[in-house]
Amino acid sequence: MATLGIHKDFLLEFARLEKPVQKRVHEVFDKFQEHRHAGLHLEKLEKARDPRIRTIRINSFMRGVVLAPESGDSFLLLKVMPHDDAIAWAVKHRATVNSATRGIELRNDVALERATAGVRQLASTETERLFAHVADKDLIRLGVDAELLPLIRHLSDEAHLDALHKILPEQQYDVLAGLAAGLEPEDVWREVVQVQLEQAAASASQQAGLLLDGDQSASPGSRDDLSLAMARSQGRIALVTGPDELMEILAKPFDAWRVFLHPSQRRVAYRSSYNGPARVLGGPGTGKTVVALHRALHLARRLPADAPEESILLTTFTRDLAADLQHSLELLIPDAATRAKIRVVNVDALANQLVREDRGAPLKVVTSQKEITSRWARIARRLGIDFTDVFLDQEWRHVVLAQDLRTPEAYLKASRSGRGTALGPLKRAQVWRAIEAFARELRDAGEWTFPQVCGEAVRLLEEHGGERPYRHVVIDEAQDLHPCQWRLLRALVPSGPDDLFIAGDTHQRIYGNKVSLRSLGIPVTGRSTRLRVNYRTTKEILTWSTELLTGEAVDDMDGGADSLNGYRSTLRGARPETDGAKSKAEEITGLVARIEEWIKAEVRPCEIGVAVRFVQLGKDIAQALEQAGMPASVLGMSSATGDGVRIGTMHRMKGLEFRCMAIAGVNDGLVPLRSAVTAEEVDAQQHKEDLLSELSLLFVACTRAREALRVSWHGSPSQFLEAVRAG
């Protein structure tokens, strides 16, 4: 059977080709099985570094570049480019098999030869060497070619390595980037090499008669060599065995790219089984959500044939994020029968359903934080106690509800770790009186808050004999869930292998909810994996955004500390722009001009995002864009179409990504938003936590960008920008 491999990078390039060219590509390769046996009209090139790299005519202006052995039924689609560019690319490149991972690598031999000479000359006066601490034998064991060691040994800093990113073999660059980021050789082996070897073994086991114990130094020439090498490279190559699969990928190339898994991600998502709750951590863009989606698919495929629909719960924090998960799940799992085994719903909506069905009537849920704090203020005045509305609300949420405290005696003995204001017995008694009054007012009015709804849902599950409605629960954006929500998730599935799969990043916590998974009966020790490679955001944007968090201590939800050490990007681009204006009108004018430039550079309006701290500024920006003749859509408004520039609050940007991203109104007093930060004199510890939540919110907004980031303000800039502006 003929096999066509499509390189991951080609999918993004294909998405940007003109529609007529895309159509011709599909026509040329539609019947590749038949064409392959007829030679596929592949043309050899004179003076090519690799005679197996050929070109094929797409139309009079465009050519495809294909890796094809002299014999066999497997080949790899690499590029579709203008005629002269395709020829120039093809004659300079060579395909080899990595000595460690045994996957396909592409190298620009001409550029590497020039770079070796150039780096030697540039580094002749340098005394520092980037990889002086790594032995040659370790580099070779990790798959770095011996012929590249002279080049590698002359690199003096990461800037030199970055300059080689596009010409070094991809897997070897991954190894070197990990070492440069401070990882030890054994860490790089586990994260880069071992995961690909495991994937290769899994792929080989699915191909009858194909073995992995051949010559490691063999180049991809024979049918078995090339098909196996492509199978070993499934973090970078999609394998297609027929026209239907080809049509499915090329119809939505960017969507296909979004659900692609790197081998390190695939190892986590498709591990046969975890002996209990498992967790994947990682910074923005590391693919945690994609891993969660693939894990849900893996679990669905393993269900017995008689398993009922919706046996698996795929859940997250908000309704908007759940909608995004549902859309991505439809892209990943076209088969409706398999998809029906997975239910996608956010935690609060599920809790509401469970309680509503039990009571036979809708619940009146209070969602306005302003209304909640106003009620606390009235109670404090009525009881004559000297506590602010914000303090009482946070004590209720972060101590009483978080620990499920139901009596004054329990509250008196409870730990208040993380709460800055010490409370003696008398003060605690006063707080408890306020909490009882608050709960009574809600009860008398027939009203609920969502944490209370979650608590009631847990009680109902326990009351019904501990019945568990799901076999598996997969959780995305886990860092923002409240302990009440975690208790519900724990109650939804019986304890055992593969019960809970958790994906999250505490650096992106924007709602201030802290938990200890262990204390909630969710032990993940020994079953946690950290993803360190960002596949969405350029290194320049990532570095700039990460500098915002420098020096901030962040927990890992399990009693330890989380860190972005070793977190890195595989992409390169321009440094983020910053722009200060004297007035809001001037800032908006500058922003509109920049968006117009992006659109003129062939960025589609819907590929541009604008994040703001409050929605009114977003509406003003949308109006200005419309007046300038550019479509705009404000997220969360009924009139939003999604076809124009997408504008939303920083909270609404959670989980989204854009080619170009603008953060507007990053002013002193707005970021951090004064009303969102507890006064230091009220509670110093909560003041610090609130500032970190606001900082994380800005970090989340900035890391939505893939290629370009612009941050602007009017008047005085936010205090958060001091570190990055100084740099």
Side-chain angles (χ1 to χ4, degrees):
M1 178 182 294
T3 300
L4 171 67
I6 300 179
H7 200 278
K8 178 181 178 181
D9 291 345
F10 170 77
L11 293 174
L12 285 182
E13 295 169 3
F14 179 83
R16 294 172 185 143
L17 294 174
E18 296 179 352
K19 294 298 182 184
V21 178
Q22 291 185 353
K23 182 179 179 182
R24 278 294 300 151
V25 171
H26 189 274
E27 290 172 353
V28 168
F29 290 96
D30 182 33
K31 299 183 183 301
F32 70 87
Q33 287 178 296
E34 292 86 345
H35 287 172
R36 182 66 189 102
H37 293 289
L40 200 63
H41 308 293
L42 297 173
E43 297 183 11
K44 293 185 176 182
L45 300 166
E46 293 185 9
K47 301 180 180 179
R49 291 299 179 110
D50 190 334
R52 297 160 304 174
I53 294 183
R54 319 284 183 84
T55 66
I56 184 171
R57 186 179 188 274
I58 302 299
N59 61 24
S60 57
F61 300 103
M62 306 291 287
R63 296 195 73 80
V65 182
V66 175
L67 173 64
E70 294 292 344
S71 62
D73 292 327
S74 299
F75 56 105
L76 177 61
L77 176 57
L78 300 171
K79 296 279 182 180
V80 171
M81 307 168 76
H83 181 281
D84 292 348
D85 294 340
I87 300 298
W89 190 94
V91 298
K92 295 176 182 176
H93 284 77
R94 180 165 57 100
T96 57
V97 171
N98 184 275
S99 62
T101 68
R102 303 177 66 193
I104 287 179
E105 292 185 324
L106 296 172
R107 66 185 65 222
N108 184 334
D109 274 353
V110 174
L112 282 171
E113 290 165 5
R114 292 174 180 169
T116 301
V119 169
R120 278 176 173 167
Q121 183 176 3
L122 182 65
S124 60
T125 61
E126 299 284 350
T127 58
E128 297 290 333
R129 291 292 183 264
L130 183 59
F131 298 108
H133 64 294
V134 186
D136 284 355
K137 64 178 182 180
D138 285 327
L139 289 171
I140 292 172
R141 175 173 174 261
L142 293 171
V144 176
D145 290 345
E147 66 190 66
L148 291 180
L149 290 181
L151 170 63
I152 303 306
R153 287 303 181 194
H154 279 85
L155 300 180
S156 58
D157 56 37
E158 287 191 64
H160 288 164
L161 178 62
D162 292 345
L164 299 175
H165 178 235
K166 292 185 178 179
I167 62 173
L168 280 170
E170 200 171 1
Q171 295 172 62
Q172 296 185 46
Y173 176 82
D174 283 353
V175 165
L176 295 170
L179 293 170
L183 299 181
E184 294 296 323
E186 284 306 314
D187 294 328
V188 175
W189 173 269
R190 285 192 297 271
E191 294 193 11
V192 178
V193 179
Q194 184 175 321
V195 293
Q196 296 193 55
L197 291 175
E198 291 173 355
Q199 176 58 37
S203 299
S205 67
Q206 298 171 8
Q207 301 181 47
L210 298 180
L211 302 176
L212 282 178
D213 55 358
D215 179 13
Q216 292 192 19
S217 62
S219 59
S222 70
R223 175 179 182 270
D224 284 359
D225 283 338
L226 184 55
S227 61
L228 274 174
M230 288 194 296
R232 297 183 189 112
S233 306
Q234 287 192 36
R236 295 175 172 88
I237 293 171
L239 299 181
V240 180
T241 56
D244 291 341
E245 287 183 69
L246 179 65
M247 179 181 295
E248 183 179 312
I249 289 178
L250 296 187
K252 296 180 178 179
F254 181 69
D255 290 334
W257 186 89
R258 283 184 62 187
V259 295
F260 229 113
L261 284 182
H262 184 273
S264 61
Q265 300 166 334
R266 180 171 290 274
R267 177 181 66 166
V268 178
Y270 286 96
R271 176 168 167 163
S272 177
S273 181
Y274 292 95
N275 188 29
R279 177 178 62 164
V280 57
L281 299 167
T286 53
K288 299 179 298 299
T289 297
V290 178
V291 168
L293 289 163
H294 279 268
R295 187 64 186 171
L297 169 59
H298 172 70
L299 294 170
R301 287 172 172 168
R302 293 180 56 213
L303 287 172
D306 60 349
E309 292 187 352
E310 298 188 346
S311 292
I312 298 168
L313 174 65
L314 176 59
T315 189
T316 187
F317 185 75
T318 69
R319 193 183 304 272
D320 289 341
L321 290 173
D324 289 337
L325 284 176
Q326 181 65 51
H327 173 66
S328 296
L329 196 70
E330 291 168 0
L331 296 174
L332 178 64
I333 313 177
D335 176 47
T338 302
R339 202 167 62 242
K341 298 177 182 179
I342 304 168
R343 183 184 182 191
V344 184
V345 62
N346 65 298
V347 181
D348 285 341
L350 177 59
N352 193 312
Q353 176 198 333
L354 292 171
V355 178
R356 184 180 67 245
E357 289 178 350
D358 180 77
R359 292 177 173 258
L363 303 181
K364 185 178 180 182
V365 181
V366 181
T367 58
S368 168
Q369 187 59 36
K370 184 177 180 180
E371 182 178 341
I372 290 172
T373 52
S374 295
R375 180 167 289 176
W376 283 115
R378 291 195 303 271
I379 290 172
R381 286 195 301 269
R382 188 173 75 242
L383 296 178
I385 57 177
D386 188 22
F387 293 106
T388 67
D389 50 3
V390 172
F391 177 86
L392 290 171
D393 182 55
Q394 290 172 342
E395 188 75 5
W396 180 62
R397 288 188 293 112
H398 296 315
V399 179
V400 175
L401 291 178
Q403 299 181 48
D404 194 25
L405 305 176
R406 304 184 185 186
T407 66
E409 293 78 16
Y411 177 58
L412 185 63
K413 298 176 183 178
S415 167
R416 297 181 64 257
S417 176
R419 299 286 286 155
T421 302
L423 295 180
L426 180 59
K427 292 289 187 181
R428 291 202 190 201
Q430 292 176 340
V431 171
W432 188 260
R433 285 178 59 208
I435 288 171
E436 285 186 322
F438 182 82
R440 185 166 52 251
E441 281 195 12
L442 288 175
R443 189 167 54 251
D444 292 346
E447 295 175 338
W448 301 74
T449 64
F450 273 123
Q452 289 176 306
V453 176
C454 288
E456 178 66 8
V458 173
R459 189 190 67 78
L460 291 173
L461 289 171
E462 293 172 347
E463 189 178 81
H464 289 91
E467 180 182 350
R468 310 299 188 217
Y470 297 100
R471 298 193 181 198
H472 309 286
V473 174
V474 178
I475 305 147
D476 191 32
E477 300 291 353
Q479 71 279 348
D480 280 318
L481 295 173
H482 187 275
C484 290
Q485 295 167 315
W486 280 110
R487 279 192 286 272
L488 173 59
L489 294 172
R490 175 66 282 177
L492 288 170
V493 60
S495 296
D498 301 311
D499 50 357
L500 295 163
F501 186 85
I502 302 161
D505 173 23
T506 50
H507 290 90
Q508 298 185 69
R509 182 189 288 128
I510 59 178
Y511 291 101
N513 295 321
K514 286 194 172 183
V515 301
S516 166
L517 293 176
R518 189 184 298 108
S519 69
L520 293 165
I522 306 174
V524 294
T525 303
R527 293 185 294 273
S528 284
T529 304
R530 185 180 304 279
L531 303 177
R532 289 188 172 94
V533 181
N534 181 306
Y535 299 97
R536 175 177 68 217
T537 304
T538 65
K539 179 178 180 179
E540 291 73 15
I541 294 173
L542 180 64
T543 300
W544 191 93
S545 302
T546 303
E547 285 176 357
L548 294 169
L549 296 175
T550 300
E552 298 294 338
V554 178
D555 70 282
D556 69 350
M557 297 172 58
D558 200 39
D562 201 0
S563 171
L564 291 175
N565 290 342
Y567 181 42
R568 60 197 186 276
S569 173
T570 62
L571 308 172
R572 296 297 178 272
R575 183 173 171 80
E577 305 170 20
T578 57
D579 184 57
K582 294 179 180 178
S583 66
K584 183 173 77 170
E586 182 180 320
E587 181 186 2
I588 292 176
T589 298
L591 174 59
V592 169
R594 190 69 181 95
I595 291 174
E596 188 173 22
E597 291 174 1
W598 284 337
I599 292 175
K600 287 180 179 178
E602 299 185 351
V603 179
R604 293 185 299 164
C606 63
E607 295 177 318
I608 299 172
V610 179
V612 293
R613 187 60 183 87
F614 65 99
V615 74
Q616 184 55 54
L617 178 58
K619 293 178 181 178
D620 294 340
I621 293 169
Q623 183 179 16
L625 286 169
E626 295 283 1
Q627 290 174 349
M630 290 174 279
S633 171
V634 180
L635 301 179
M637 296 183 63
S638 58
S639 58
T641 64
D643 296 327
V645 175
R646 300 182 72 182
I647 303 170
T649 64
M650 294 180 183
H651 285 92
R652 280 197 174 270
M653 289 296 171
K654 184 80 169 175
L656 303 180
E657 60 181 71
F658 303 91
R659 285 185 64 188
C660 301
M661 187 78 199
I663 319 295
V666 189
N667 310 345
D668 181 37
L670 293 181
V671 181
L673 193 64
R674 287 194 180 99
S675 61
V677 179
T678 302
E680 190 168 10
E681 59 271 18
V682 172
D683 190 322
Q685 180 64 30
Q686 191 60 48
H687 173 81
K688 183 179 179 180
E689 295 291 342
D690 292 345
L691 282 178
L692 181 56
S693 292
E694 288 285 294
L695 181 55
S696 296
L697 188 59
L698 178 60
F699 175 69
V700 166
C702 291
T703 52
R704 302 307 93 196
R706 296 207 309 269
E707 301 171 22
L709 173 64
R710 183 183 192 273
V711 178
S712 64
W713 63 89
H714 56 270
S716 299
S718 164
Q719 66 189 66
F720 293 156
L721 298 180
E722 291 178 4
V724 290
R725 290 178 70 218

